Amino acid sequence: PAPAPVAEAPAPADDASDIDSLEMDELDGVLGDKEAPLLFNEELLRIALRVCRKKLRVLVDDDTELDGGSGYSDRLVTDLEWEALRHAQGRVDCSLALPKDMPPTLDDLLHLKDVPDEEETRSSLDQAGSILARAREDKLERIRKAELTERRKEARRNLMRAPSPLKDDLRKEIEAVLAQLSSLDPQHQLNGGPASTRNTWIAKPAAKSRGRGIATFDDLDRLLDHCDAKTGGSGALWIVQKYMESQLLIAERKFDLRQWVLVTDWNPLTIYFYDECYARFTSHKFTDARESLENPFVHLVNNSIQKDGENFHDDIEAENGVSIEDCMWTQEDFAGFLDWKMARTDATTDRLRKCKDSDDVFTDVVQPEMRKIAVEVLQAARDSIEHRKNSWELYGYDFMVDAELRPWLIEVNSSPACDYSTAVTERYVKKALVDILKVTIDKREWERTPVGDEPDTGGWQLAHKGPFVETPIASLTGGDIYAEGKKVEAPRAIRARARAAAKAAAAAKRLREERKRREVAER
């Protein structure tokens, strides 16, 4: 039936023109006539923009990080910026104000107190015992604290202001900085995108396997409580990583790639890369909702966890129509999916264009990058590994793939699982373990006495063989290491100021002693 006629609203009174235009915009949005404007706290946005600019300076001058610092006098996030941004965590509207009781600083949360090293903080005049220099430093410290208090009050006043629509000039600044971060920071896209950024992190105990103790968080307090960091903990080590928020999903599920890598010698470093891997899926569909963070069947792909899920044996079908049995795929299944996906994806970036131009995305693009990462990781760790001849080590690399088909190394596992947990792993393990014997026995014997043709190594491909190092760094750990040097004289100006300071200190000391003698005489 036709809806009943609606009476027209009466004309507004004369005083309606006094209604603030911003309130009218909001009212129009509620009534559906126009979209309601997004409101932001400008000061909070400028704080976040300031931190991003400092991050850009670090990325541009990336050599400074190798020297152990950013190279700039200001920290990436100051205490005041930290407090404001932490208070805004998890809020979308950005219409925020600092509370009366400010959140604790990060140092307070971790129970770390600034105890400056005496030898590092004392100036050359202090070392000479100058009382006047100490007094000047105390005065400067009082001035600094007063300025910090004033800045804190100013920030509070700005953050207490009512939210307002985003100004065009500020929007352009934000867009420019984000574009620079995207081009300079290779991990920028892992934070998600304009549609969804949850600031999610994952914490892993360093000495456990098979997914035990792993948890995901988007709240710092809960993360620190989980790692027992606020109280100093029990001495256990934790690895905290940024959660990949722009990951590639298959059948709406999270997955990773398990890749085997074999090291037959550390000097010279000899690395073999297996020509196959397999994909491990979660049994539940992926969601980044906060209530799902504690669900391991959504966020952890370990077979030891997923096999206990009620959906583990469900018939799952990927977008290309290929079924996923027992939450695993062969490399062939995964490679076929990438080709299917790229045929239906618009190449909007250089990376996607590179993938789209390939006839076999996995073999031509993804797998070579995985091999390169595997070699570089072992090269970086070589000097910290205790070198043992006539032994070999098998590693299980876990890779994830982002939305632009870039592989990212998540972790490296020693002694990876070799059980027949599924039909996929049964075929993989049987074939790869037999091929390991071809490398560690047949190939090694042939290298000692190269007679006849080089033996076949199956699926194991030599990825890297480095030069022999005469004295591996790891072998120096048991020796005596010492440094030699000579005294460096200070410049004349510094020595002159030090002598003057010493004289002033001696004069002050004589004055105190004379005052004490007078007091004794008077008594």
Side-chain angles (χ1 to χ4, degrees):
V6 180
E8 295 185 0
D14 293 339
D15 58 357
S17 59
D18 296 334
I19 299 178
D20 185 84
S21 60
L22 180 60
E23 294 177 352
M24 286 300 298
D25 287 341
E26 293 178 339
L27 183 59
D28 288 340
V30 172
L31 296 178
D33 293 337
K34 61 185 294 188
E35 185 177 351
L38 292 176
L39 304 181
F40 301 89
N41 184 288
E42 182 176 339
E43 178 67 14
L44 187 60
L45 288 180
R46 292 195 179 278
I47 289 175
L49 187 62
R50 188 161 60 245
V51 174
C52 289
R53 289 190 185 280
K54 287 189 284 187
K55 176 64 176 176
L56 275 177
R57 290 188 350 219
V58 175
L59 292 171
V60 171
D61 192 11
D62 55 0
D63 288 341
T64 56
E65 291 192 316
L66 300 178
D67 298 329
S70 66
Y72 300 98
S73 57
D74 51 346
R75 293 154 54 187
L76 185 60
V77 183
T78 66
D79 285 344
L80 185 56
E81 291 167 344
W82 160 260
E83 292 165 5
L85 295 175
R86 181 168 177 269
H87 177 61
Q89 183 183 13
R91 298 287 295 273
V92 178
D93 56 8
C94 295
S95 55
L96 304 169
L98 289 180
K100 183 176 181 181
D101 297 325
M102 296 290 288
T105 65
L106 182 60
D107 289 347
D108 290 336
L109 280 173
L110 297 177
H111 286 210
L112 299 176
K113 300 300 180 183
D114 263 340
V115 183
D117 185 87
E118 185 178 357
E119 292 299 326
E120 292 181 0
T121 56
R122 288 191 308 178
S123 65
S124 58
L125 297 182
D126 291 332
Q127 295 173 2
S130 172
I131 298 175
L132 297 178
R134 286 201 186 99
R136 284 196 297 270
E137 288 187 358
D138 290 343
K139 182 178 179 180
L140 291 175
E141 180 66 17
R142 288 194 298 271
I143 294 175
R144 189 191 68 82
K145 288 183 177 179
E147 292 175 349
L148 181 61
T149 300
E150 185 58 33
R151 288 200 302 269
R152 191 185 186 90
K153 291 179 180 178
E154 178 66 19
R156 186 188 298 276
R157 287 193 293 269
N158 292 335
L159 289 166
M160 290 291 288
R161 293 176 181 172
S164 58
L166 184 61
K167 299 178 180 177
D168 286 342
D169 58 342
L170 181 57
R171 176 182 56 80
K172 292 177 181 178
E173 282 187 68
I174 294 173
E175 290 175 348
V177 169
L178 291 179
Q180 289 179 289
L181 282 173
S182 178
S183 62
L184 293 174
D185 186 358
Q187 296 189 8
H188 180 72
Q189 72 273 18
L190 301 186
N191 295 324
S196 175
T197 299
R198 298 283 303 180
N199 193 25
T200 308
W201 295 74
I202 186 166
K204 309 176 182 180
K208 291 185 179 181
S209 60
R210 301 191 299 277
R212 293 174 297 172
I214 298 179
T216 52
F217 303 93
D218 63 356
D219 180 83
L220 179 66
D221 283 328
R222 295 178 62 245
L223 189 154
L224 294 176
D225 287 337
H226 181 79
C227 299
D228 203 15
K230 292 184 179 181
T231 60
S234 58
L237 298 178
W238 290 82
I239 297 173
V240 179
Q241 295 174 292
K242 181 68 186 70
Y243 194 96
M244 282 181 55
E245 299 188 37
S246 60
Q247 58 189 297
L248 175 66
L249 300 178
I250 299 179
E252 302 180 65
R253 285 163 171 80
K254 179 180 177 180
F255 73 94
D256 76 0
L257 301 176
R258 169 56 63 90
Q259 173 68 55
W260 279 12
V261 177
L262 178 68
V263 178
T264 58
D265 201 335
W266 287 98
N267 189 23
L269 180 59
T270 308
I271 304 170
Y272 286 84
F273 186 90
Y274 201 59
D275 65 357
E276 287 188 44
C277 64
Y278 59 91
R280 307 180 301 177
F281 293 83
T282 58
S283 56
H284 289 199
K285 292 183 178 180
F286 176 80
T287 173
D288 61 359
R290 174 169 290 184
E291 55 269 18
S292 76
L293 294 180
E294 297 181 1
N295 188 348
F297 302 114
V298 172
H299 297 282
L300 303 181
V301 301
N302 305 69
N303 177 262
S304 57
I305 290 177
Q306 294 299 331
K307 68 181 182 180
D308 296 326
E310 58 183 10
N311 300 338
F312 180 70
H313 297 291
D314 285 2
D315 186 15
I316 302 171
E317 185 174 294
E319 290 82 352
N320 62 342
V322 178
S323 62
I324 303 173
E325 297 180 2
D326 294 340
C327 296
M328 284 194 186
W329 252 3
T330 64
Q331 176 178 296
E332 182 181 2
D333 293 331
F334 178 66
F337 176 84
L338 294 187
D339 293 335
W340 175 88
K341 181 176 179 62
M342 288 311 305
R344 292 158 177 79
T345 301
D346 294 330
T348 56
T349 65
D350 292 341
R351 172 69 183 187
L352 291 177
R353 280 189 284 272
K354 178 181 178 181
C355 294
K356 200 170 183 66
D357 292 341
S358 172
D359 295 331
D360 188 340
V361 179
F362 181 79
T363 303
D364 297 340
V365 181
V366 178
Q367 192 177 51
E369 294 174 344
M370 293 169 57
R371 181 200 301 258
K372 181 174 180 289
I373 293 171
V375 171
E376 291 177 346
V377 166
L378 293 171
Q379 287 175 323
R382 180 188 62 180
D383 294 335
S384 60
I385 302 295
E386 183 179 354
H387 178 62
R388 295 185 303 171
K389 277 293 183 184
N390 300 318
S391 63
W392 52 270
E393 184 74 40
L394 178 65
Y395 295 101
Y397 281 61
D398 290 339
F399 290 92
M400 288 183 64
V401 181
D402 66 18
E404 291 195 338
L405 308 189
R406 289 186 182 88
W408 294 90
L409 178 63
I410 303 303
E411 63 185 26
V412 180
N413 302 273
S414 59
S415 304
C418 296
D419 57 326
Y420 306 152
S421 55
T422 67
V424 172
T425 55
E426 181 177 4
R427 172 192 167 277
Y428 184 90
V429 171
K430 285 181 177 180
K431 183 173 180 291
L433 287 182
V434 171
D435 289 347
I436 283 181
L437 299 180
K438 298 177 182 178
V439 176
T440 58
I441 298 178
D442 300 344
K443 180 71 177 291
R444 177 172 293 182
E445 289 298 326
W446 181 85
E447 288 176 342
R448 290 174 179 172
T449 55
V451 178
D453 296 334
E454 182 176 349
D456 174 47
T457 56
W460 289 103
Q461 303 170 351
L462 180 63
H464 173 80
K465 186 166 186 177
F468 180 80
V469 181
E470 288 294 336
T471 308
I473 294 178
S475 66
L476 298 177
T477 55
D480 294 331
I481 300 179
Y482 61 93
E484 289 183 343
K486 63 180 181 179
K487 182 179 179 181
V488 178
E489 296 291 340
R492 288 184 178 181
I494 295 180
R495 293 203 304 270
R497 287 198 298 269
R499 285 195 297 269
K503 290 181 180 179
K509 182 179 179 181
R510 289 195 298 270
L511 183 61
R512 289 194 301 270
E513 292 175 349
E514 180 64 24
R515 188 180 297 112
K516 287 181 180 179
R517 284 197 296 271
R518 291 178 182 176
E519 292 175 355
V520 171
E522 290 175 359
R523 286 198 297 270

